[in-house]
Amino acid sequence: MKYSLILPLAAILSACSSVATSTSQATSLSMTPSVSKALPEQIIYRMNGDYANLVPVTMDNNMEEVISYPDPVDIKSSQAPIALGDGWFLDRRGISMNTAFTDYTYEAYSALSKVPTKDEIKAHIIDRHGIKEIKRCGRRRLTVEQAKQLVKDGFPGCNNVMAEINL
């Protein structure tokens, strides 16, 4: 009699624990982001002027209102874009079609004692249309050498987000 109760009880406990393990593994797999989604989108761009050391801000679609700009404590000179040759730069701040450039250098902006107001930022904008071209090169980690090679090879695997318009 003892054996007849132990066997079904062992089977039930075994089934429960394997279901729990399977569920836990499935949850853990589905909750883990894929590597490609965890990496930032790699952006390579060209500017209309010598703005590589100037702090960019994000404007609205009409390029009239400032909608996003950094806190001075978040800015470091090491976040300036990396020159790749032929006027192309590897983005390290979040460049978009709505990027405008201020006259603040990374060094000067990071030394500000308080966050500027939107009106103060607006007064320091020197080019609302400073981005000439943008290439989106996928979610991967590019070394500087790989990015330079993409430029030399004509951007294989990259998408045009914004292309220079010659009128």
Side-chain angles (χ1 to χ4, degrees):
M1 181 88 173
K2 285 183 186 176
Y3 291 111
S4 64
L5 288 176
I6 292 176
L7 217 50
L9 186 58
I12 290 170
L13 290 175
S14 170
C16 289
S17 67
S18 77
V19 170
T21 302
S22 298
T23 304
S24 138
Q25 286 173 344
T27 302
S28 134
L29 289 175
S30 65
M31 297 299 285
T32 305
S34 70
V35 173
S36 64
K37 289 183 180 178
L39 293 174
E41 183 78 35
Q42 296 294 286
I43 303 292
I44 297 175
Y45 65 99
R46 288 201 300 178
M47 298 171 276
N48 290 319
D50 186 16
Y51 306 139
N53 194 36
L54 300 180
V55 174
V57 298
T58 304
M59 306 292 288
D60 66 359
N61 287 336
N62 296 323
M63 302 301 283
E64 294 297 323
E65 297 301 319
V66 176
I67 61 169
S68 177
Y69 58 102
D71 185 310
V73 299
D74 294 332
I75 291 293
K76 296 171 183 36
S77 295
S78 63
Q79 295 171 323
I82 298 171
L84 301 174
D86 199 26
W88 292 97
F89 290 85
L90 181 61
D91 179 34
R92 299 195 301 173
R93 282 285 325 146
I95 295 299
S96 74
M97 294 185 300
N98 293 6
T99 293
F101 290 97
T102 66
D103 59 2
Y104 290 112
T105 64
Y106 281 86
E107 185 177 348
Y109 193 83
S110 67
L112 294 176
S113 59
K114 66 180 180 91
V115 179
T117 66
K118 282 188 180 185
D119 287 337
E120 289 170 328
I121 291 290
K122 224 172 157 178
H124 283 270
I125 291 174
I126 58 170
D127 195 340
R128 293 176 194 276
H129 303 283
I131 300 294
K132 186 187 289 190
E133 289 183 78
I134 300 175
K135 307 286 185 185
R136 184 173 286 148
C137 298
R139 293 189 182 279
R140 53 184 165 165
R141 190 167 280 127
L142 287 175
T143 65
V144 173
E145 290 311 312
Q146 289 170 326
K148 286 180 178 182
Q149 194 61 50
L150 279 174
V151 172
K152 286 179 188 172
D153 294 345
F155 300 97
C158 297
N159 298 317
N160 272 336
V161 175
M162 180 178 178
E164 181 176 21
I165 299 171
N166 296 316
L167 301 174

